[in-house]
Amino acid sequence: METDSSLLSSELELQQQEELYQQLLLQTMSKVQTANPDSRVIRPQPGMCIKTVTLPDKHKIFINICQSTSVPPPPALSRDELVELLESEDPGGYRVPMSLGEPHTELDNNSQVCTAYDVVINQEFFQKCQKDPLFQQFLLAVSLEGLENKYNLELSREWKILKNRKFLGSVNEQNIRGKSRPVIEEIDTKDSSKHPAGVTRPDFSLLVEPPVGDPEYLIAEIKLPGVSSSRPLVLDLGEDRLVLNVRPSLFHLNIFFPFFIDQESSAAQYNTNTQILTVTMPVESSERN
């Protein structure tokens, strides 16, 4: 992809950004207003409890993996497909919907202070992970990465599944939401300055996170059917604008945002399997006049 090097990060940063994108779309929004019709309160069911520690200070951490039918399941995936995914160059392309709860202080069996986190996943997917150790290990790895990204932690991968405890503390209700509100649904394709003649405008969605209150991120998902790699993509971001060209004259997209974005902290990733370009853009604190 030919673009500003500050826009497209290293492979590690892109993987972290993909995990961040997953959280932004699916985690519990702790500040969601109760009046928001797209949010609802659920009480998850206990599933299993994991013990690990933070690095490097070795603070004891417990992760309560919970289950709920209110959390959507991830796309269907066989064991062979999971093996293939883990061996691929883009394992982050498969997203597990989950709600990441706020930390709460608890006491362990020795009456020592520790921290617990609640992670809620789809009930059916949880049962699948219980039956297959490979899926279970995958789930735990994704859960730890999600918590690390959300709370700026570093967690040891030497975890232990507690045999006689499914949950540490008490099960709390969580707010989960439906879908993000669309910021831009349609662009006027009659404007030739934004849409060159003979070039296709790709289908896209543009979401704002969180769906209520002050926006923190804009997330663009742009569908590019027939584009097998990122090489023909030329992406440019302005302070309130996204321009994408796909050579040779396949697609063109030119959209303006209702907010200023942080160009240097933005990141883009192209999934060759789904043929979708995802652009995650932090929103500056001041809105466009």
PDB file of all heavy atoms in Angstrom, residues 10 18 38 49 76 127 169 181 222 234 271:
ATOM      1  N   SER A  10       3.532  -0.696  11.783  1.00  0.00           N
ATOM      2  CA  SER A  10       4.220  -1.964  11.641  1.00  0.00           C
ATOM      3  C   SER A  10       3.249  -3.108  11.839  1.00  0.00           C
ATOM      4  O   SER A  10       2.111  -2.919  12.283  1.00  0.00           O
ATOM      5  CB  SER A  10       5.354  -2.063  12.667  1.00  0.00           C
ATOM      6  OG  SER A  10       4.804  -2.103  13.963  1.00  0.00           O
ATOM      7  N   GLU A  18      -5.989  -4.070  15.421  1.00  0.00           N
ATOM      8  CA  GLU A  18      -7.106  -4.965  15.127  1.00  0.00           C
ATOM      9  C   GLU A  18      -7.798  -5.408  16.410  1.00  0.00           C
ATOM     10  O   GLU A  18      -9.027  -5.480  16.479  1.00  0.00           O
ATOM     11  CB  GLU A  18      -6.584  -6.189  14.364  1.00  0.00           C
ATOM     12  CG  GLU A  18      -7.664  -7.206  14.008  1.00  0.00           C
ATOM     13  CD  GLU A  18      -8.595  -6.729  12.922  1.00  0.00           C
ATOM     14  OE1 GLU A  18      -8.315  -5.667  12.324  1.00  0.00           O
ATOM     15  OE2 GLU A  18      -9.598  -7.400  12.676  1.00  0.00           O
ATOM     16  N   ASP A  38     -30.207   1.412  22.213  1.00  0.00           N
ATOM     17  CA  ASP A  38     -29.420   0.317  21.653  1.00  0.00           C
ATOM     18  C   ASP A  38     -28.655  -0.463  22.712  1.00  0.00           C
ATOM     19  O   ASP A  38     -27.949  -1.415  22.388  1.00  0.00           O
ATOM     20  CB  ASP A  38     -28.413   0.863  20.618  1.00  0.00           C
ATOM     21  CG  ASP A  38     -29.106   1.346  19.365  1.00  0.00           C
ATOM     22  OD1 ASP A  38     -30.181   0.804  19.048  1.00  0.00           O
ATOM     23  OD2 ASP A  38     -28.581   2.263  18.722  1.00  0.00           O
ATOM     24  N   CYS A  49     -12.746 -19.675  35.638  1.00  0.00           N
ATOM     25  CA  CYS A  49     -11.913 -18.635  36.237  1.00  0.00           C
ATOM     26  C   CYS A  49     -10.444 -18.938  35.961  1.00  0.00           C
ATOM     27  O   CYS A  49      -9.981 -20.068  36.164  1.00  0.00           O
ATOM     28  CB  CYS A  49     -12.164 -18.545  37.736  1.00  0.00           C
ATOM     29  SG  CYS A  49     -11.342 -17.150  38.541  1.00  0.00           S
ATOM     30  N   ALA A  76     -18.824 -18.939  12.263  1.00  0.00           N
ATOM     31  CA  ALA A  76     -18.578 -20.376  12.388  1.00  0.00           C
ATOM     32  C   ALA A  76     -17.154 -20.701  11.967  1.00  0.00           C
ATOM     33  O   ALA A  76     -16.646 -20.194  10.967  1.00  0.00           O
ATOM     34  CB  ALA A  76     -19.577 -21.145  11.536  1.00  0.00           C
ATOM     35  N   GLN A 127     -19.346 -23.031  25.231  1.00  0.00           N
ATOM     36  CA  GLN A 127     -19.493 -24.479  25.322  1.00  0.00           C
ATOM     37  C   GLN A 127     -18.595 -25.188  24.316  1.00  0.00           C
ATOM     38  O   GLN A 127     -18.013 -26.247  24.608  1.00  0.00           O
ATOM     39  CB  GLN A 127     -20.960 -24.872  25.096  1.00  0.00           C
ATOM     40  CG  GLN A 127     -21.918 -24.308  26.136  1.00  0.00           C
ATOM     41  CD  GLN A 127     -21.609 -24.778  27.549  1.00  0.00           C
ATOM     42  OE1 GLN A 127     -21.110 -25.883  27.754  1.00  0.00           O
ATOM     43  NE2 GLN A 127     -21.910 -23.931  28.540  1.00  0.00           N
ATOM     44  N   GLY A 169     -15.497 -13.496  43.150  1.00  0.00           N
ATOM     45  CA  GLY A 169     -16.305 -12.327  43.446  1.00  0.00           C
ATOM     46  C   GLY A 169     -17.772 -12.629  43.220  1.00  0.00           C
ATOM     47  O   GLY A 169     -18.218 -13.773  43.357  1.00  0.00           O
ATOM     48  N   ARG A 181     -24.098   3.670  15.937  1.00  0.00           N
ATOM     49  CA  ARG A 181     -24.927   4.481  15.052  1.00  0.00           C
ATOM     50  C   ARG A 181     -24.116   4.883  13.831  1.00  0.00           C
ATOM     51  O   ARG A 181     -22.915   5.156  13.915  1.00  0.00           O
ATOM     52  CB  ARG A 181     -25.425   5.730  15.788  1.00  0.00           C
ATOM     53  CG  ARG A 181     -24.362   6.787  16.040  1.00  0.00           C
ATOM     54  CD  ARG A 181     -25.008   8.040  16.620  1.00  0.00           C
ATOM     55  NE  ARG A 181     -24.056   9.127  16.713  1.00  0.00           N
ATOM     56  CZ  ARG A 181     -23.433   9.443  17.822  1.00  0.00           C
ATOM     57  NH1 ARG A 181     -23.635   8.746  18.903  1.00  0.00           N
ATOM     58  NH2 ARG A 181     -22.585  10.455  17.835  1.00  0.00           N
ATOM     59  N   ILE A 222     -14.416  -0.592   4.543  1.00  0.00           N
ATOM     60  CA  ILE A 222     -14.613  -0.360   3.107  1.00  0.00           C
ATOM     61  C   ILE A 222     -14.478  -1.688   2.371  1.00  0.00           C
ATOM     62  O   ILE A 222     -13.441  -2.360   2.458  1.00  0.00           O
ATOM     63  CB  ILE A 222     -13.574   0.650   2.575  1.00  0.00           C
ATOM     64  CG1 ILE A 222     -13.614   1.936   3.413  1.00  0.00           C
ATOM     65  CG2 ILE A 222     -13.833   0.962   1.107  1.00  0.00           C
ATOM     66  CD1 ILE A 222     -12.448   2.875   3.159  1.00  0.00           C
ATOM     67  N   VAL A 234      -4.182   3.077  -2.370  1.00  0.00           N
ATOM     68  CA  VAL A 234      -3.534   4.346  -2.030  1.00  0.00           C
ATOM     69  C   VAL A 234      -4.491   5.095  -1.110  1.00  0.00           C
ATOM     70  O   VAL A 234      -5.553   5.545  -1.534  1.00  0.00           O
ATOM     71  CB  VAL A 234      -3.216   5.180  -3.279  1.00  0.00           C
ATOM     72  CG1 VAL A 234      -2.523   6.490  -2.863  1.00  0.00           C
ATOM     73  CG2 VAL A 234      -2.336   4.398  -4.240  1.00  0.00           C
ATOM     74  N   ASN A 271      -7.830  -6.868   5.053  1.00  0.00           N
ATOM     75  CA  ASN A 271      -8.022  -8.306   5.234  1.00  0.00           C
ATOM     76  C   ASN A 271      -8.254  -8.921   3.863  1.00  0.00           C
ATOM     77  O   ASN A 271      -9.285  -8.686   3.216  1.00  0.00           O
ATOM     78  CB  ASN A 271      -9.227  -8.561   6.150  1.00  0.00           C
ATOM     79  CG  ASN A 271      -9.364 -10.023   6.540  1.00  0.00           C
ATOM     80  OD1 ASN A 271      -9.191 -10.912   5.712  1.00  0.00           O
ATOM     81  ND2 ASN A 271      -9.688 -10.272   7.793  1.00  0.00           N
TER      82      ASN A 271
END
